């Protein structure tokens, strides 16, 4: 999926919501545990309920890997379900991968060929040759970590380099030369919205994947005010606040209600900014 | 496995070799492709052939994930095979994971509970709360990326901070407070041996996992000279140069020959340093 297709879907739905599929068998409604494949029952219901209000899905690989090979089957089934039923949605594997070139090439093959997602999150610490192998696929995206939403982002990402740049600014400046705004996005946490104006000076046109709204406490209004471009340029993710909105039999309706609430707020910001 | 047990195995074998199981179905000997489970036939033969000459195995998750759920089954079978037949060997999942706290906790559960390896490689970019969940397991290890063996290590890891430290030195200085030398190791590439003396000033006693000898061109002699402690403190990894030493029917014997050669050289350095 290219940038124009993604932007068109944002305009069509009036939403830039990404639903994070952090499906934890220990947290899904108890009545689903009687099904043969509880994770897929849960994911299908969540996907069907939220599809009208979002433009992207982001399964988090950790939550599937923890169940071993069965979990990877569930992850593949989830991707296949979205791809078949909602081909207009962007699928991001939230995997935070990154290794030396020949190994990153295997990860790229895993996510873009075997699994068939549109985008994968990648960690920048190992530099160019750890990221480049993911950039060799037409219509696929690298979502590179820049400034994350967690407390640990203060340990290294905001350290100042001798030339005055912060590390995450160096990551943006260096890495934007590796691809284009049609092949790379960046992760910037919603809890870091005060940094968005500075970030937009370095990467005015790239899409940002913004986690941290919802359970982590970031503000959608602030993110939209400081991060939105004239083509939107934002994917704001919410995971737990949507998928665990209820753990009763009404979990899917509750997820739809939460997603709709965010989408309506998003629509108002899109109108405000004239997207 | 704790530090004393690992050091005892190094003394028993006279080796500090880690064999990297980067098993690529496209590279294994053609005659194995007729077997029902070619990856496991290959891995078992490599493990049996090299066990006398090494103290650790390091399956690289990328090479298994690329085959989807079947690959994860192979990865689990490989871990189980080593655990059962060679319980004295350290098993490192080379996975380069790292995410916000609740997600890293799922990765820790994946590797230490579901899969049952002894150690996992972790990327530092997201800071303390992305690493801490891996440190809550008795006898398990975090192997944190510090200074990697690839060209891309120059992009960010060696950048100088405003206080004069390089980024990887800051990673070492900050992160060594999160655990101890009985719970944390660090990745330092063999191609970076000129930095080892500086690194040993910051972490005099931690084990280092050193990739980059062999196919990547690092020198075992230099690594041993500058990185060895009085308890050894080194695990030197070789992957491709051992497991793909031959792609004929003699692949296992050829792997044993390569591993033995490295182990004999290692023994001479252990004697030299009085370990």
């Amino acid at each position: 999926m290219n940038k124009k297709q993604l932007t068109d879907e944002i305009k069509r739905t009036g939403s830039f919501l990404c639903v994070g599929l952090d499906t934890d068998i220990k947290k899904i409604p108890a009545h689903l545990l009687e099904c043969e494949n509880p994770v897929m029952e849960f994911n299908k219901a969540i996907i069907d309920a939220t599809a009208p209000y979002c433009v992207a899905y982001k399964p988090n690989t950790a939550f599937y890997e923890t169940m071993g090979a069965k979990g990877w089957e569930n992850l593949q089934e989830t991707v296949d379900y979205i791809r078949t039923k909602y081909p207009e949605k962007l699928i991001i594997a939230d995997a935070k991968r990154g290794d030396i070139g020949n190994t990153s090439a295997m990860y790229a093959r895993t996510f873009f060929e075997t699994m068939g997602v549109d985008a994968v999150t990648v960690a920048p610490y190992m530099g160019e040759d750890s990221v480049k192998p993911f950039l060799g696929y037409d219509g696929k995206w690298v979502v590179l970590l820049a400034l994350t939403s967690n407390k640990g982002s203060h340990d290294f990402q905001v350290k100042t380099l001798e030339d005055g740049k912060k590390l995450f600014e160096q990551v943006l400046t260096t890495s934007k030369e590796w691809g284009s705004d049609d092949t790379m996005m960046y992760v910037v946490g919603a809890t870091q919205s005060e940094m968005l104006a500075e970030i937009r000076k370095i990467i005015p046109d790239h899409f940002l994947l913004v986690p941290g709204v919802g359970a982590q406490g970031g503000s959608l209004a602030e993110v939209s005010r400081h991060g939105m471009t004239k083509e939107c340029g934002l994917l704001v993710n919410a995971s737990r606040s949507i998928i665990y909105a209820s753990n009763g039999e009404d979990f899917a309706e509750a997820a739809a209600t939460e997603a709709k609430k965010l989408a309506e707020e998003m629509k108002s910001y899109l109108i405000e900014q004239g997207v």
Side-chain angles (χ1 to χ4, degrees), chain A:
Chain A
M1 183 182 295
N2 65 28
K3 196 178 175 187
K4 180 168 183 317
Q5 290 167 316
L6 178 58
T7 303
D8 286 349
E9 180 66 2
I10 289 171
K11 289 176 182 172
R12 190 184 72 79
T13 56
S15 167
F16 45 97
L17 178 63
C18 175
V19 175
L21 299 170
D22 297 12
T23 307
D24 183 349
I25 192 119
K26 296 184 179 177
K27 283 192 185 165
I28 66 178
H31 73 279
L32 293 177
L33 299 177
E34 293 154 23
C35 307
E36 203 185 324
N37 194 342
V39 166
M40 281 312 296
E41 290 300 318
F42 181 80
N43 281 1
K44 284 182 191 175
I46 292 284
I47 292 162
D48 289 340
T50 56
Y53 312 114
C54 75
V55 294
Y57 289 100
K58 181 173 73 61
N60 181 328
T61 55
F63 288 75
Y64 300 85
E65 288 180 14
T66 198
M67 295 175 289
K70 174 67 189 160
W72 270 76
E73 267 174 39
N74 282 163
L75 180 53
Q76 184 69 59
E77 287 173 279
T78 302
V79 170
D80 293 344
Y81 186 78
I82 302 166
R83 181 61 75 228
T84 307
K85 200 159 173 191
Y86 306 101
E88 67 283 7
K89 306 295 177 192
L90 186 85
I91 308 175
I92 305 165
D94 195 0
K96 312 268 194 318
R97 299 300 198 263
D99 207 314
I100 63 171
N102 80 315
T103 299
S104 273
M106 295 301 275
Y107 281 128
R109 206 199 284 176
T110 299
F111 290 105
F112 294 150
E113 297 183 38
T114 309
M115 192 174 293
V117 297
D118 302 297
V120 60
T121 56
V122 176
Y125 192 71
M126 294 182 67
E128 181 171 3
D129 59 291
S130 71
V131 177
K132 273 277 177 87
F134 293 97
L135 290 167
Y137 290 82
D138 205 33
K140 304 287 187 184
W141 297 83
V142 164
V143 187
L144 197 69
L145 300 185
L147 184 58
T148 56
S149 57
N150 63 322
K151 184 160 170 281
S153 64
H154 296 284
D155 287 325
F156 308 118
Q157 296 168 24
V158 300
K159 287 281 178 207
T160 304
L161 303 175
E162 59 182 348
D163 67 357
K165 269 202 216 71
K166 292 190 190 303
L167 175 60
F168 77 89
E169 293 171 327
Q170 185 68 55
V171 167
L172 293 170
T173 304
T174 303
S175 66
K176 70 177 181 175
E177 305 299 330
W178 302 339
S180 72
D181 63 353
D182 215 0
T183 57
M184 292 187 81
M185 305 187 188
Y186 291 95
V187 173
V188 176
T191 51
Q192 314 274 8
S193 59
E194 75 285 3
M195 309 300 285
L196 277 166
E198 286 305 307
I199 289 170
R200 279 297 182 207
K201 286 184 194 160
I202 307 171
I203 44 161
D205 298 317
H206 284 71
F207 259 91
L208 304 180
L209 173 63
V210 184
V213 161
Q216 294 180 63
S219 156
L220 176 56
E222 291 299 305
V223 168
S224 304
R225 183 165 306 133
H226 300 298
M228 197 175 282
T229 69
K230 60 187 186 305
E231 291 177 307
C232 182
L234 293 174
L235 291 173
V236 170
N237 183 78
S239 304
R240 289 170 275 179
S241 64
I242 293 177
I243 70 174
Y244 302 128
S246 158
N247 70 351
E249 301 222 346
D250 66 338
F251 73 97
E253 294 88 329
T257 304
E258 283 304 307
K260 190 179 179 190
K261 206 189 298 174
L262 284 167
E264 282 173 352
E265 193 182 338
M266 286 174 175
K267 192 168 194 173
S268 72
Y269 302 135
L270 288 169
I271 292 169
E272 228 173 84
Q273 303 277 331
V275 177

